[in-house]
Amino acid sequence: EVQLQAYGGGSVQAGGSLRLSCAASGFNFKTYTMGWFRQGPGQEREFVARIKYDHNTGYADSVKGRFTVSRDNAQSTLYLQMNSLKPEDTAIYYCAVARRSAILSSLRLPTSYENWGQGTLVTVSS
């Protein structure tokens, strides 16, 4: 079965950096679009970044220029490098596998993803 394990969350001061990892198994990782979402206290789950099977990337406006999504297909691992962190970035971060049927314009929507990891907590203090 599909398994996604997120790692790398923690506590950091504003302006600091963290690197999140998501180890994937149980499916042909290299052929699927992968995404990162986050959910802060009392907030809806929101899109952060995604990377397609062809390595095309997309980002939420709130993280552009600060976060970088990448993938290592040989290791079936997804990454999110987070720099210049802000208190507003505090959230549980989830990795997810996109539905094969999802079109490009839909990849910012949680409903376009069919499998989700357990999440890892990122806390940014001012």
Side-chain angles (χ1 to χ4, degrees):
E1 73 278 16
V2 173
Q3 289 190 302
L4 301 170
Q5 291 185 278
Y7 302 95
S11 298
V12 65
Q13 295 288 122
S17 297
L18 285 172
R19 182 176 172 86
L20 305 184
S21 301
C22 176
S25 62
F27 65 104
N28 192 4
F29 177 83
K30 68 181 180 182
T31 69
Y32 282 83
T33 295
M34 301 292 296
W36 287 100
F37 289 76
R38 66 187 182 187
Q39 188 166 17
Q43 300 184 26
E44 302 272 294
R45 185 170 300 187
E46 68 173 357
F47 169 78
V48 177
R50 54 82 176 158
I51 182 166
K52 291 177 65 183
Y53 42 82
D54 62 1
H55 294 261
N56 172 265
T57 58
Y59 298 90
D61 288 343
S62 59
V63 307
K64 283 180 180 177
R66 300 189 298 123
F67 291 10
T68 302
V69 62
S70 61
R71 64 194 296 161
D72 184 339
N73 287 336
Q75 297 295 319
S76 296
T77 303
L78 176 72
Y79 300 100
L80 185 68
Q81 178 66 47
M82 305 186 295
N83 298 327
S84 302
L85 283 161
K86 304 175 180 180
E88 308 93 89
D89 297 318
T90 295
I92 300 173
Y93 284 71
Y94 300 90
C95 59
V97 185
R99 302 180 187 277
R100 183 66 87 173
S101 60
I103 61 174
L104 187 64
S105 60
S106 75
L107 290 174
R108 294 171 180 260
L109 303 176
T111 53
S112 292
Y113 295 78
E114 62 185 348
N115 294 100
W116 297 82
Q118 87 285 3
T120 185
L121 177 63
V122 172
T123 302
V124 184
S125 58
S126 60

